[in-house]
Amino acid sequence: MASQKPQRSPAEIEDIILRKIFLVSLIDSMENDSRFLIDRLSGNFSSAESPFPYLIGCYRRAYDEGKKISNMKDKAVRSEMELVVRQAKKLAVSYCRIHLGNSDLFPNWEMSKPNVSPLLPLVFSEVSSSVDGFRGGSSSGVVNCPPGFLEEFFQDSDFDSLDPILKQLYEDLRGSVLKVSALGNFQQPLRALLFLISFPMGAKSLVKHPWWIPKGAYLNGRVIEMTSILGPFYHVSALPDHTIFKSQPDVGQQCFSEASTRRPADLLSSFTTIKTVMNNLYDGLAEVLLSLLKNAETRENVLEYLGEVINKNSSRAHIQVDPISCASSGMFVNLSAVMLRLCEPFLDANLTKRDKIDPKYVFNSTRLELRGLTALHASSEEVAEWLGDENPVKTDVSRQQNDRENRLLQSQEATSSGSNVGGPSLFQNKPMSSCSGKAKYTFICECFFMTARVLNLGLLKAFSDFKHLVQDISRCEDTLSTFKAMQGQSPSPQLDLDIARLEKEIELYSQEKLCYEAQILRDGELLQRALSFYRLMVVWLVGLVGGFKMPLPSTCPMEFACTPEHFMEDAMELLIFASRIPKALDGVLLDDFMNFIIMFMASPNFVRNPYLRAKMVEVLNCWMPRTSGSSVTSTLFEGHQLSLEYLVRNLLKLYVDIEFTGSHTQFYDKFSIRHNIAELLEYLWQVPSHRNAWRQIAKEEEKGVYLNFLNFLVNDSIYLLDESLNKILELKELEAEMSNTAEWERRPAQERQERTRLFHSQENIIRIDMKLANEDVTMLAFTSEQITAPFLLPEMVERVASMLNYFLLQLVGPQRKSLSLKDPEKYEFRPKQLLKQIVNIYVHLARGDKENIFPAAITRDGRSYNEQLFSAAADVLRRIGEDGRLIQEFIELGAKAKLAASEAMDAEAALGEIPDEFLDPIQYTLMKDPVILPSSRITVDRPVIQRHLLSDTTDPFNRSHLTSDMLISNIELKAKIEEFIRSQELKRHT
């Protein structure tokens, strides 16, 4: 029988445990403290592990021994041995720090310095997940970190010894994602970053890193993106970037090459993958910033970093962006998504925190460069004057308040633990210091303005790039179809090359387009967050002018006038963009946006830029129930108090205002803007409550804004129809040239190419102009049925009559056959429909003409009037089966006009030779109501000058400012003219 083992003493047990842990023979137990460990690490023992893996092994073995010790029955021995193991772990960690912080300390190990910190694989294994492309980081397979090692390593140490180790780790993490796209493994480095900053020392070391905000003379937006520690994490994206900075794997190539031949399910799968990984990135990056912002010690550094990123990339707002000096769209779209996540706590449905956003931040912030941005209404001189005029007492009071708040902030920060949760809540009302001690703002205020800037340079810029990309694809496709048509007629090797080049270009553009679609357009959550932010924006802006009520204040408050213009423009752009994406507006509260648009679209005293006010109409256009095909938005138009009271009024006002935008392209711009207004007005005319409002405005403003509206509507109709008809004649000439095959083939290839291009360009111009002309004539037709008085005013009636006569001449006159086209519908040219509308307008005005002035106005037009046109038009209307009553009324009007013409001739003959002083110098007709122009002192007929003033508020003889109320009645001359007429009539009767 075996004899019982002798009981080991605690010293012997300790010795066994330490031998196992440190793999060394100990002579004097641990009395020599850790000398044995220094010897082991300094000696160059053959086949022994180098210091770092050896120390990690020690820690792992200590951990394993600790588990065994927990099963010891003797409590006293167990407690003693637990202490030994703890001490051993501490030693291993401590020497790891010493070794990593100063690798030259143990010089006998022949080994090259690793490219990355040996800690990195351990951190990766700590945060690894099944979705990562790889688990460890070392080439020798998986490196598992012993439990508890990293916590102990980063927790119990002084900053100076940890800082160099952490700095190296941050540089390594930055390097590991530097050229990684959305399809690469960025998730592990991102989790590693989050893990490191969860330690107070880790957070502090990150923001103290020289690459936290890189410095230097050549610092620009791209340098920050590529060299700052966080920059490469924000560079991870699915969006296209400049070739030099392209990340791998190539998302466009991998997911969307030859997309037109792929199954929809494959594309959908790619879209879903990209959306998912990007949202993981956004969440992780937001968590990093939030963690650092909650920590009182690191918060200011985060705001500084964001400020620098924004300021150094301000040129991203330009139409042409230099990709070498500016950060990528990827970085700024990611930053947009992250900032929106930071805003979430103050984007509640009632926007209860909006009073924390101080408009003075625009001038006082030393963090963001906002003062140089275009303001909504104020000029830089007005801003300077306003800031200079502020009450000095008020400034002193606010300075004292700031000092008080500064002291309060310092005392709160002193009592906080300095950990990432020890700082005060970000969303408390307590102000935070700005970069200088000058002004102080809450986090909500800082975050609001930063987010507005980031969205402008990020998400909104990406929308704009996407729009241009779609236009580029469309242009390429048009050119390609032209080339293919030409190749069919006369093939050439050069054409083959051009076609191949264009096809390749379209393929690359299409890949880029789908990348945008994947990361932005299909991310409903991103769009909804952005819409929530801009809802806060418009509610806050309206608060600056006294809330949602009309009319607006008589003067624009400076706080509102000084707000950067892009804040409002971006809100409109987002609404336009989101309106075109199916379901993007589902569940979004649009009422505030609607009221906001109605308030400001016709208010040049609040929003100076006419193109920005026109953009508001574009939003309404997108929401128009009949274009969106749903009634989700119909209540906005039909059930809103502000809408019912002001919508038609403000649309008519903007229609007039947009005549003069101040831009060199104003003549052409006004047509597309008025097209949007006309579409809305046509829809609103069909809504009874809006039609009633319209009739009321026409009555109240008969000689005001409504007359101006009518004048511009008539001017536009004449110009557009005239342009279209002339272009049709030019197009027919080109058509004839091209159909003469023998002659056409003899021409040089380049000439044929140019003529073909011109043909397609003319086609487009006719289509656009004709569409706009049809719209204007339609509006004249439906409004003239119920509102005739303004058409028949002395300053308007002859202009309207001339327009109708001119259109009639073109449509049924001797030249009409020259306007016949092979496919008129292709050009929106519908002569029968047009004729019907023109005749309707004649008849509507005749019905409302109580004083019988319309027939005479028709005949006074010496250019187009011809009595035969009325019977010719009636014949066409009969042939196309038009309503007999309408034709009858039209024929009767023609007869009245004929009679008026004969009476006018008699009257003219009776007057004989008219003295020059009685003739209007513009029209050379006998004046009825002569007036003197105050500046040039020239006498003209009142209706003639009033008609001129509808389009141009200047004296036609010297261009000085002139309005109707400045005209001076020439009573003396009027009496002379009346006396002349009387005397001529007397002569006739005697």
Side-chain angles (χ1 to χ4, degrees), residues 55-74:
L55 289 166
I56 295 299
C58 293
Y59 192 97
R60 182 176 283 109
R61 291 187 287 275
Y63 173 78
D64 292 341
E65 289 304 313
K67 280 209 291 196
K68 291 177 196 167
I69 289 163
S70 63
N71 295 325
M72 282 185 176
K73 297 204 170 36
D74 187 325

Side-chain angles (χ1 to χ4, degrees), residues 615-628:
K615 202 151 265 174
M616 298 180 188
V617 175
E618 217 180 312
V619 175
L620 297 184
N621 229 272
C622 295
W623 291 353
M624 206 162 47
R626 54 178 201 165
T627 53
S628 64

Side-chain angles (χ1 to χ4, degrees), residues 656-671:
V656 171
D657 289 347
I658 217 70
E659 179 76 12
F660 309 104
T661 63
S663 160
H664 65 286
T665 57
Q666 69 180 15
F667 182 75
Y668 300 100
D669 296 340
K670 68 180 181 185
F671 292 118

Side-chain angles (χ1 to χ4, degrees), residues 426-670:
L426 287 177
F427 302 100
Q428 280 180 358
N429 300 340
K430 182 183 69 56
M432 296 163 30
S433 59
S434 180
C435 307
S436 75
K438 271 200 327 196
K440 301 173 57 51
Y441 298 98
T442 61
F443 175 74
I444 290 173
C445 184
E446 294 246 30
C447 190
F448 173 82
F449 283 98
M450 283 187 168
T451 305
R453 289 294 290 134
V454 166
L455 288 168
N456 175 256
L457 304 173
L459 190 61
L460 273 301
K461 179 62 180 165
F463 292 162
S464 164
D465 292 345
F466 177 76
K467 202 160 60 184
H468 289 131
L469 190 56
V470 171
Q471 286 165 356
D472 287 342
I473 294 172
S474 172
R475 261 195 300 274
C476 284
E477 285 173 341
D478 284 350
T479 313
L480 184 65
S481 64
T482 306
F483 282 176
K484 284 185 170 172
M486 285 162 61
Q487 191 191 36
Q489 291 172 355
S490 49
S492 77
Q494 185 54 47
L495 268 177
D496 288 341
L497 288 172
D498 288 342
I499 287 169
R501 175 183 55 78
L502 270 172
E503 284 175 340
K504 192 175 178 187
E505 219 167 288
I506 291 169
E507 164 65 15
L508 288 174
Y509 278 156
S510 303
Q511 286 179 22
E512 290 188 3
K513 176 178 172 273
L514 290 165
C515 287
Y516 275 97
E517 197 176 320
Q519 189 170 338
I520 302 173
L521 277 73
R522 296 207 168 231
D523 192 343
E525 217 173 292
L526 175 63
L527 296 172
Q528 295 258 343
R529 281 189 161 107
L531 286 161
S532 289
F533 177 80
Y534 283 108
R535 185 173 153 255
L536 166 64
M537 174 68 77
V538 301
V539 171
W540 175 72
L541 279 169
V542 165
L544 299 179
V545 300
F548 284 105
K549 54 178 183 284
M550 290 285 274
L552 288 164
S554 52
T555 56
C556 176
M558 278 303 280
E559 285 85 353
F560 180 92
C562 297
T563 303
E565 188 182 86
H566 82 71
F567 285 17
M568 190 184 283
E569 186 170 6
D570 292 344
M572 297 305 114
E573 284 287 4
L574 175 67
L575 289 168
I576 292 165
F577 199 80
S579 299
R580 290 174 180 156
I581 299 170
K583 300 194 172 171
L585 292 179
D586 285 6
V588 177
L589 299 166
L590 296 176
D591 303 57
D592 293 329
F593 291 117
M594 182 72 177
N595 288 334
F596 179 86
I597 289 169
I598 292 168
M599 284 173 75
F600 294 109
M601 71 176 169
S603 307
N605 295 338
F606 285 77
V607 182
R608 194 192 295 273
N609 184 346
Y611 293 101
L612 175 47
R613 284 179 278 124
K615 202 151 265 174
M616 298 180 188
V617 175
E618 217 180 312
V619 175
L620 297 184
N621 229 272
C622 295
W623 291 353
M624 206 162 47
R626 54 178 201 165
T627 53
S628 64
S630 77
S631 58
V632 174
T633 52
S634 61
T635 53
L636 292 175
F637 292 96
E638 296 167 28
H640 257 238
Q641 198 45 48
L642 275 187
S643 174
L644 294 171
E645 226 170 306
Y646 289 96
L647 186 51
V648 171
R649 183 183 300 274
N650 287 354
L651 285 168
L652 293 172
K653 189 172 179 306
L654 183 60
Y655 193 99
V656 171
D657 289 347
I658 217 70
E659 179 76 12
F660 309 104
T661 63
S663 160
H664 65 286
T665 57
Q666 69 180 15
F667 182 75
Y668 300 100
D669 296 340
K670 68 180 181 185

